[in-house]
Amino acid sequence: MSYVHHTVLLVDSDSDQAHFTRLALQRVGVITPVQLARDGEEAIAYLSGAGDFGDRELHPLPMLMLLDLKLPHISGVGLLSWLREQQALRRLPVVVLTVPVPAADLNRAYELGCNSFLIKPNSFNALLVLMQGVAQYWLGFNVTPGVGAEAAEVGGQYGPAA
Amino acid sequence: MDMEQAEQLYRLMFTNMREGLAILRLDVRDPEAMPLIIEMNPAAVKLCQCRSFNFGNCRVTDCFPGWLEAEGFRETCHRIAAFGGSQELGEVSYEGHFYRIRVFALTEEHLGFVISDCTKYRQEEEKIAQLNARLEYEAATLERRVAERTSQLEEINEELDTFAFSVSHDLRAPIRAMHAFAEILLDDEFQSPAERNAYLVRIKTAAQGMDRLIQDLLAYSRVSRQEITLEPVSLQQAVRDASQQLELASGGKGYRIEVAGDLPDVIAHHTVLVQVLLNLMTNGIKFVPKGVVPLLRIWAEDSGEYCRLYIQDNGIGIGIPPQHQERIFKIFERLHSIESYPGTGVGLAIVRKAVQRLGGHIGLESQEGEGSRFWIELKKEQ
């Protein structure tokens, strides 16, 4: 199965880990380029379309955000709480993909409305399996809410995305 | 034993007692009558202050003026004479001694009056009270020290927990990267030789990063445990030595240092202090936007019994609110991604630990885009 119009925004400050996640998503059929933000500020800039990110052809609004909690400066949890306060973005499904964190951070992430919480596996093959599941469920089965301009429209696009 | 001998023995007993004894007579028909002393032993005579010895007319309150409250004593005596029993009349202090007085019934109109010297008991009681007070004080001190120690231990435990958690995370990150790159390489159908090469380079970089991290962790552990003797140290000399080492370590990178005025002597440990300064100065010339020549300004200010040394840079500043600035001294806290400014995240934790070991404090004033101003506070040489 391939996913053609499914922009995923990956927020990860570890370039190696980001590389693995992108590679894994690509291998499980996510053809749309995975967008990368290297820290919380960049993610906020991307989502709000600031500066170069204003070009929504090149940098489309994502239908899923993969979020590492361990970020410099603005933490993953901080980014999540910002996101849930944005009128146009607050419904965006967020899957936390992180290294093991203390239980308090995990619970906080759920309280702030993350939609799923995954731990980065050690091996690339395990990551492939995980990303297969993520792509199939979140980009395939899951019915996406309206995000961005659609968020203002009543209903927006309804039904499973192709 | 005939009566005469018994009489003699009783009299001897009465005469030789160390307690002051007196026999009182009371006119029980007159409730206003004061008891009168009709007999006293030598011990009582020694204490008697009227010195008249006209037994039969001498009132107790005249013999022992100020020892007894007259009205109360009269009433007590009448009561005891009527109903029997005895009564303690309290304690008086007289010429450096303490006496306890007791009165008890003999016949319907006679009373016994006993004065016993309790100075020794009093002294012992006082000593016991002192010892008790001291014991209580020591117990309180001990309790406070236990509480202090407990909170210190709790803090250390918490620090150890964070430490273990962070170490496991930061050390595992490069391992995870090496593992994954190796897996991708083994499964080689997708890669070009250039890609394979790039992956091998990244494995090497990860291994190097891990090595640097282990070195830093060892340095952190060393600074926590090392024996440090605190002594007067010239801050001027320490800054000079640190500047020289910085020049060697910076590898020809251009920067400027301005040291303002004469720096005082402080209580510290020269080698450790130089290390602290070097780490802060290295930081100061690191976080500078591309194209800007790093400038370090160093000066000292007086702050009570401490001396505060400032190291100000012209870097990017970290722009986090003051209440969160404490965070950057924690182990593995990074404010920037590893790509933009390299480092292991242990450097400032080492510096803080070292300053603590020197008996000082460390802090930071920083505004985003306006550079950072680190300060360390050390005890002044008196």
Side-chain angles (χ1 to χ4, degrees):
Chain A
M1 170 135 191
S2 44
Y3 305 91
V4 187
H5 300 292
H6 304 76
T7 301
V8 173
L9 175 64
L10 173 63
V11 188
D12 197 328
S13 60
D14 182 327
S15 62
D16 285 344
Q17 292 300 322
H19 178 82
F20 300 142
T21 309
R22 283 170 111 171
L23 193 62
L25 282 170
Q26 198 184 323
R27 293 230 180 137
V28 301
V30 180
I31 292 167
T32 330
V34 171
Q35 302 287 334
L36 176 66
R38 282 163 304 176
D39 55 35
E41 288 85 342
E42 206 173 302
I44 288 175
Y46 185 101
L47 289 166
S48 5
D52 292 345
F53 297 116
D55 182 353
R56 286 292 181 219
E57 288 293 315
L58 273 173
H59 304 289
L61 269 185
M63 59 186 291
L64 178 69
M65 178 157 92
L66 287 177
L67 174 65
D68 186 4
L69 291 187
K70 187 111 180 161
L71 297 175
H73 215 161
I74 296 181
S75 69
V77 168
L79 175 58
L80 197 52
S81 83
W82 172 85
L83 183 73
R84 292 310 185 212
E85 280 165 12
Q86 306 308 306
Q87 184 69 27
L89 300 165
R90 58 183 178 186
R91 300 177 196 149
L92 175 67
V94 174
V95 171
V96 171
L97 177 63
T98 187
V99 293
V101 293
D105 289 1
L106 182 147
N107 291 331
R108 190 88 190 101
Y110 271 112
E111 280 165 24
L112 290 171
C114 81
N115 302 83
S116 178
F117 198 103
L118 304 173
I119 303 290
K120 286 180 188 168
N122 275 341
S123 118
F124 183 70
N125 290 332
L127 185 66
L128 271 180
V129 174
L130 190 67
M131 284 305 120
Q132 177 126 50
V134 167
Q136 192 171 45
Y137 184 88
W138 287 103
L139 307 182
F141 301 148
N142 189 56
V143 180
T144 9
V147 172
E150 293 171 39
E153 294 166 20
V154 182
Q157 180 193 2
Y158 186 74
Chain B
M1 193 162 68
D2 58 36
M3 279 297 281
E4 200 177 326
Q5 199 191 2
E7 163 79 31
Q8 200 187 357
L9 286 173
Y10 282 129
R11 183 144 293 279
L12 277 172
M13 177 97 182
F14 183 77
T15 312
N16 293 344
M17 287 279 279
R18 276 166 63 187
E19 281 80 7
L21 301 174
I23 296 171
L24 316 180
R25 197 185 59 217
L26 186 65
D27 183 357
V28 289
R29 282 153 310 185
D30 176 6
E32 297 300 313
M34 271 295 189
L36 304 171
I37 293 179
I38 56 168
E39 179 77 291
M40 266 199 278
N41 74 346
V45 169
K46 253 168 80 182
L47 296 169
C48 169
Q49 290 161 67
C50 72
R51 309 283 181 220
S52 54
F53 302 110
N54 53 342
F55 299 140
N57 292 319
C58 211
R59 289 192 303 183
V60 179
T61 41
D62 293 337
C63 290
F64 305 103
W67 286 33
L68 302 160
E69 189 269 306
E71 285 303 299
F73 179 61
R74 182 176 50 77
E75 272 168 34
T76 305
C77 288
H78 278 278
R79 182 166 48 79
I80 288 173
F83 303 105
S86 72
Q87 174 85 45
E88 295 278 353
L89 295 177
E91 209 173 276
V92 294
S93 136
Y94 175 62
E95 290 188 341
H97 284 249
F98 290 96
Y99 298 99
R100 272 181 203 151
I101 303 165
R102 197 158 63 87
V103 63
F104 56 97
L106 294 174
T107 70
E108 280 168 3
E109 45 189 336
H110 292 93
L111 299 160
F113 187 80
V114 185
I115 306 165
S116 41
D117 189 334
C118 64
T119 313
K120 234 170 88 187
Y121 300 116
R122 270 296 287 259
Q123 283 168 346
E124 274 162 16
E125 269 173 13
E126 219 159 275
K127 219 184 267 169
I128 289 174
Q130 273 174 6
L131 286 174
N132 262 338
R134 183 132 149 242
L135 204 65
E136 259 169 49
Y137 174 77
E138 306 238 311
T141 316
L142 204 66
E143 219 164 280
R144 201 177 53 239
R145 274 174 52 197
V146 168
E148 269 169 24
R149 261 304 167 68
T150 311
S151 90
Q152 274 172 4
L153 284 176
E154 274 167 2
E155 206 171 293
I156 290 172
N157 260 341
E158 214 168 282
E159 205 179 295
L160 268 180
D161 270 356
T162 340
F163 186 76
F165 192 87
S166 310
V167 167
S168 67
H169 168 259
D170 277 54
L171 278 178
R172 279 176 68 196
I175 293 182
R176 208 172 29 238
M178 289 188 267
H179 188 165
F181 280 125
E183 266 181 318
I184 300 170
L185 281 171
L186 284 171
D187 175 24
D188 64 352
E189 51 185 311
F190 296 99
Q191 290 114 39
S192 65
E195 257 178 325
R196 293 173 64 84
N197 201 45
Y199 281 5
L200 286 170
V201 168
R202 290 177 102 147
I203 290 178
K204 194 172 146 226
T205 314
Q208 281 167 341
M210 200 165 157
D211 188 45
R212 211 168 39 237
L213 183 55
I214 289 171
Q215 299 290 352
D216 277 2
L217 285 173
L218 287 176
Y220 182 80
S221 147
R222 214 166 28 240
V223 84
S224 314
R225 283 157 205 282
Q226 171 181 40
E227 290 273 332
I228 291 180
T229 328
L230 296 183
E231 55 190 4
V233 167
S234 157
L235 203 47
Q236 192 83 40
Q237 185 63 39
V239 169
R240 205 174 306 139
D241 288 358
S243 311
Q244 273 173 9
Q245 291 193 28
L246 182 66
E247 207 175 316
L248 294 174
S250 62
K253 183 180 173 186
Y255 62 88
R256 284 193 303 137
I257 297 183
E258 286 172 8
V259 181
D262 280 340
L263 305 176
D265 288 359
V266 292
I267 301 294
H269 180 275
H270 184 75
T271 322
V272 173
L273 181 56
V274 170
Q275 192 60 49
V276 165
L277 294 172
L278 179 62
N279 280 18
L280 289 177
M281 286 155 79
T282 312
N283 249 340
I285 63 168
K286 185 158 83 179
F287 297 104
V288 169
K290 284 203 168 64
V292 174
V293 176
L295 167 67
L296 290 175
R297 292 202 306 120
I298 298 174
W299 72 98
E301 272 173 25
D302 207 80
S303 98
E305 56 174 323
Y306 287 90
C307 161
R308 196 178 257 215
L309 183 79
Y310 285 92
I311 298 180
Q312 158 102 50
D313 63 41
N314 59 339
I316 50 174
I318 53 172
I320 51 174
Q323 65 267 29
H324 293 144
Q325 290 181 355
E326 174 76 357
R327 220 181 86 192
I328 66 163
F329 293 108
K330 291 200 173 140
I331 201 156
F332 297 126
E333 282 290 351
R334 302 181 48 85
L335 294 163
H336 309 284
S337 66
I338 197 129
E339 281 81 14
S340 45
Y341 298 98
T344 55
V346 186
L348 280 179
I350 295 178
V351 169
R352 180 170 72 159
K353 182 58 88 177
V355 172
Q356 278 172 355
R357 294 293 313 274
L358 296 178
H361 312 284
I362 185 164
L364 162 72
E365 294 158 15
S366 179
Q367 297 262 311
E368 187 151 17
E370 289 182 11
S372 302
R373 181 187 294 177
F374 283 91
W375 53 260
I376 57 172
E377 239 176 28
L378 294 167
K379 271 217 172 68
K380 279 189 300 206
E381 220 276 289
Q382 294 303 330

